[in-house]
C-alpha cells in the first residue's frame, strides 16, 4: 500500500523530511477495523513526532492521527461496525499513523462519520474534538447544560482545538466564552464560531480581559504558549478556578497556584487508547455525539486549508504551515 513516513528527523524543508513509501497492508487485530483511508488532517503532534521521535534504523514511521475512510475488514471481536461503514477517528499514538491507504484502528475509538460533511471536512474533526470535549467536560469538570454565570477563557481560540472547543462550549453549556486571537482574520474566525468576546493574546491577557469588561474567569483552557502566558492566566483566574493545559511546557512551577487554590488539569487525548483504559470507548461515543451535532447543523467543520492529495510533498507543505504558527482551523488532505 502507499504510505507517507520518515526515516530521520530532518527539518520540514528537507527533501526527505517525509517520504512516499510502499508498505505491507496492516493485519487487523481482534478489536480492530481495517479502514481504507479517504482523507486525513495534520495536527501539531504530527510535527512534534516527526522532529523528535527517531524510528528504528532502517524502518519508516508513518504519521497521521486524524482519518476518514471506509471499513474494508473487521477483526473477530468487532461488534460496532461492518464492512462498508464510513468512519472517522483519531487513532493511537502508540500505533502506526493514518497517512496510508489502509489503516487498522481499535473500534472503541471510532465512530460513524458525519453524513453531512465531505471526507476532508470530517477529517478535520476527530483529534481536536476529542481533546476539546475531554478538556471541557472531563478535565475542567463542566456539566452538560451547566456553566451559567461562569466564564471560560480559550487561549488560542483560532487553532484546531480552540475552533471546536468554542463551538462545544456554546452548544452544550451556558458558559460565557472568551477567546484569544491576535490577527483580524483569526479574531473574526473565533467570533464566527461563537465566541462572545475575543481579546488579543499578543498583549498582557489580564489587562486585555479587564479592558473588555471581563473581571476574572473561572475556567481557562490554555491551548498554546502556556509558558508565556502562565503568570497572566493566574492573575486572570478567580480564586478556586481551574486551569486546563494541553501544550508542552519546559518545567512548571505549581506554587503560584496555591494562594488562589487554583487547580491544574492536563488533557492528553491519547491517554485512553495508549493505556487501554476501562473507559476507552468514551472516545468513540463522544465522536458519535459530535457527528450527530454536526448533522443537526449545530457544529461545523473546522477545516480551513486543503493541500490536495495525500503524498509526501503535500504533507511537507502542511507540516510547514503548522510549524509556522500561522494556521487557523485545520489543514486537510484527501485521496492517494
Amino acid at each position: 500500500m502507499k504510505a507517507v513516513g520518515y526515516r530521520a528527523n530532518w527539518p520540514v524543508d528537507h527533501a526527505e523530511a517525509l517520504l512516499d513509501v510502499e508498505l505491507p497492508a496492516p493485519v487487523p487485530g481482534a478489536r480492530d477495523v481495517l479502514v481504507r483511508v479517504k482523507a486525513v488532517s495534520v495536527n501539531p503532534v504530527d510535527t512534534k513526532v516527526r522532529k523528535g521521535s527517531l524510528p528504528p534504523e532502517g524502518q519508516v514511521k508513518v504519521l497521521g492521527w486524524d482519518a476518514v475512510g471506509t471499513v474494508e475488514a473487521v477483526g473477530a471481536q468487532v461488534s460496532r461496525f461492518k464492512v462498508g461503514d464510513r468512519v472517522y477517528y483519531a487513532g493511537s499514538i502508540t500505533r502506526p499513523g493514518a497517512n496510508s491507504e489502509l489503516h487498522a484502528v481499535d473500534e472503541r475509538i471510532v465512530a460513524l462519520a458525519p453524513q453531512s460533511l465531505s471526507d476532508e471536512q470530517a477529517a478535520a474533526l476527530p483529534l481536536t474534538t476529542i481533546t476539546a470535549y475531554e478538556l471541557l467536560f472531563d478535565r475542567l469538570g463542566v456539566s452538560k447544560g451547566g456553566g451559567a454565570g461562569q466564564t471560560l477563557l480559550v487561549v488560542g481560540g483560532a487553532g484546531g482545538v480552540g475552533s471546536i472547543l468554542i463551538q462545544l462550549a456554546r452548544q452544550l453549556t451556558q458558559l460565557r466564552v472568551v477567546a484569544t486571537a491576535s490577527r483580524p482574520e483569526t479574531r473574526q474566525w473565533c467570533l464566527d464560531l461563537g465566541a462572545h468576546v475575543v481579546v488579543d493574546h499578543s498583549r498582557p491577557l489580564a489587562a486585555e480581559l479587564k479592558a473588555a469588561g471581563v473581571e476574572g474567569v473561572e475556567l481557562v483552557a490554555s491551548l498554546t504558549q502556556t509558558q508565556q502566558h502562565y503568570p497572566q492566566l493566574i492573575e486572570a483566574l478567580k480564586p478556586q478556578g481551574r486551569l486546563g493545559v494541553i501544550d508542552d511546557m519546559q518545567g512548571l512551577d505549581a506554587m503560584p497556584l496555591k494562594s488562589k487554590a487554583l487547580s491544574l488539569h492536563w488533557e492528553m487525548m491519547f491517554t485512553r487508547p495508549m493505556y487501554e483504559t476501562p473507559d476507552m470507548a468514551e472516545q468513540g461515543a463522544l465522536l458519535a455525539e459530535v457527528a450527530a451535532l454536526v448533522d443537526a447543523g449545530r457544529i461545523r467543520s473546522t477545516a480551513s486549508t486543503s493541500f490536495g492529495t495525500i503524498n509526501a510533498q503535500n504533507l511537507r507543505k502542511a507540516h510547514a504551515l503548522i510549524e509556522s504558527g500561522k494556521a487557523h482551523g485545520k489543514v486537510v488532505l484527501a485521496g492517494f
Side-chain angles (χ1 to χ4, degrees), residues 12-13 20 29 76 81 114 118 142 147 155 162 201 205 225 231 245-246 254 265 267-268 270 274 301 325 327 334-335:
V12 72
D13 58 355
D20 293 307
F81 301 99
S118 69
V142 180
V155 180
H201 55 231
L205 279 176
Q225 301 295 326
V245 180
I246 69 168
H265 305 265
E267 163 56 19
M268 171 73 165
F270 288 123
M274 184 186 301
S301 171

Side-chain angles (χ1 to χ4, degrees), residues 84-202:
D85 283 344
R86 179 172 174 263
V87 296
Y88 78 145
Y89 57 90
S92 169
I93 200 167
T94 60
R95 301 183 65 174
N99 292 337
S100 57
E101 288 185 290
L102 293 167
H103 188 238
V105 60
D106 192 299
E107 69 162 343
R108 288 171 288 182
I109 57 175
V110 176
L112 295 175
Q115 297 179 15
S116 57
L117 297 184
S118 69
D119 292 336
E120 287 178 294
Q121 291 170 328
L125 292 175
L127 186 146
T128 52
T129 293
I130 294 169
T131 302
Y133 192 106
E134 291 182 348
L135 181 60
L136 182 62
F137 298 116
D138 298 332
R139 312 297 171 238
L140 292 177
V142 180
S143 59
K144 297 280 183 67
Q150 294 188 314
T151 297
L152 168 68
L153 173 63
V154 180
V155 180
V161 176
S163 295
I164 192 69
L165 179 56
I166 290 170
Q167 296 185 77
L168 291 175
R170 284 303 308 269
Q171 291 297 321
L172 300 179
T173 79
Q174 298 182 61
L175 292 166
R176 177 171 62 160
V177 180
V178 179
T180 80
S182 59
R183 291 175 283 149
E185 62 269 29
T186 53
R187 175 185 177 86
Q188 190 59 51
W189 175 268
C190 291
L191 291 171
D192 291 346
L193 291 173
H196 294 97
V197 178
V198 180
V199 298
D200 188 347
H201 55 231
S202 69

Side-chain angles (χ1 to χ4, degrees), residues 176 209-210 213-217 236 238:
R176 177 171 62 160
L209 290 168
K210 290 178 182 177
V214 180
E215 296 296 330
V217 302
K238 293 181 178 180

Side-chain angles (χ1 to χ4, degrees), residues 158 183 185-186 304-305 320-329:
R183 291 175 283 149
E185 62 269 29
T186 53
S304 62
T305 308
L321 178 59
I322 296 293
E323 290 180 24
S324 76
K326 296 180 180 179
H328 67 274

Side-chain angles (χ1 to χ4, degrees), residues 4-322:
V4 179
Y6 70 98
R7 290 190 173 94
N9 304 129
W10 293 110
V12 72
D13 58 355
H14 192 283
E16 296 186 2
L18 290 168
L19 302 164
D20 293 307
V21 296
E22 287 283 339
L23 297 175
V27 177
R31 298 296 302 269
D32 290 345
V33 291
L34 182 66
V35 177
R36 181 163 293 277
V37 175
K38 303 295 186 182
V40 300
S41 75
V42 179
N43 295 280
V45 65
D46 295 63
T47 68
K48 291 177 184 176
V49 173
R50 193 200 84 245
K51 292 186 291 185
S53 176
L54 187 65
E57 187 173 354
Q59 295 186 27
V60 175
K61 186 175 182 66
V62 177
L63 302 171
W65 289 284
D66 265 328
V68 172
T70 304
V71 176
E72 288 226 341
V74 299
Q77 296 178 23
V78 168
S79 60
R80 299 177 57 235
F81 301 99
K82 64 184 185 301
V83 172
D85 283 344
R86 179 172 174 263
V87 296
Y88 78 145
Y89 57 90
S92 169
I93 200 167
T94 60
R95 301 183 65 174
N99 292 337
S100 57
E101 288 185 290
L102 293 167
H103 188 238
V105 60
D106 192 299
E107 69 162 343
R108 288 171 288 182
I109 57 175
V110 176
L112 295 175
Q115 297 179 15
S116 57
L117 297 184
S118 69
D119 292 336
E120 287 178 294
Q121 291 170 328
L125 292 175
L127 186 146
T128 52
T129 293
I130 294 169
T131 302
Y133 192 106
E134 291 182 348
L135 181 60
L136 182 62
F137 298 116
D138 298 332
R139 312 297 171 238
L140 292 177
V142 180
S143 59
K144 297 280 183 67
Q150 294 188 314
T151 297
L152 168 68
L153 173 63
V154 180
V155 180
V161 176
S163 295
I164 192 69
L165 179 56
I166 290 170
Q167 296 185 77
L168 291 175
R170 284 303 308 269
Q171 291 297 321
L172 300 179
T173 79
Q174 298 182 61
L175 292 166
R176 177 171 62 160
V177 180
V178 179
T180 80
S182 59
R183 291 175 283 149
E185 62 269 29
T186 53
R187 175 185 177 86
Q188 190 59 51
W189 175 268
C190 291
L191 291 171
D192 291 346
L193 291 173
H196 294 97
V197 178
V198 180
V199 298
D200 188 347
H201 55 231
S202 69
R203 302 174 181 176
L205 279 176
E208 279 284 293
L209 290 168
K210 290 178 182 177
V214 180
E215 296 296 330
V217 302
E218 287 80 10
L219 304 165
V220 170
S222 186
L223 310 177
T224 184
Q225 301 295 326
T226 298
Q227 195 157 17
Q228 173 186 333
H229 299 304
Y230 191 52
Q232 293 289 313
L233 299 180
I234 293 170
E235 182 178 346
L237 276 162
K238 293 181 178 180
Q240 302 182 84
R242 296 186 173 203
L243 171 61
V245 180
I246 69 168
D247 61 332
D248 298 334
M249 298 175 64
Q250 298 301 314
L252 174 65
D253 181 7
M255 283 306 297
L257 304 175
K258 183 177 180 179
S259 68
K260 287 186 176 180
L262 304 176
S263 56
L264 177 67
H265 305 265
W266 282 106
E267 163 56 19
M268 171 73 165
M269 61 78 51
F270 288 123
T271 296
R272 279 168 161 156
M274 184 186 301
Y275 293 98
E276 296 197 16
T277 59
D279 64 351
M280 181 174 164
E282 288 298 314
Q283 291 197 343
L286 73 86
L287 286 176
E289 179 183 350
V290 171
L293 290 170
V294 170
D295 289 337
R298 296 177 63 188
I299 296 289
R300 77 182 212 193
S301 171
T302 56
S304 62
T305 308
S306 175
F307 276 90
T309 56
I310 304 166
N311 59 45
Q313 181 180 8
N314 289 340
L315 277 166
R316 285 196 297 270
K317 294 176 182 177
H319 278 228
L321 178 59
I322 296 293

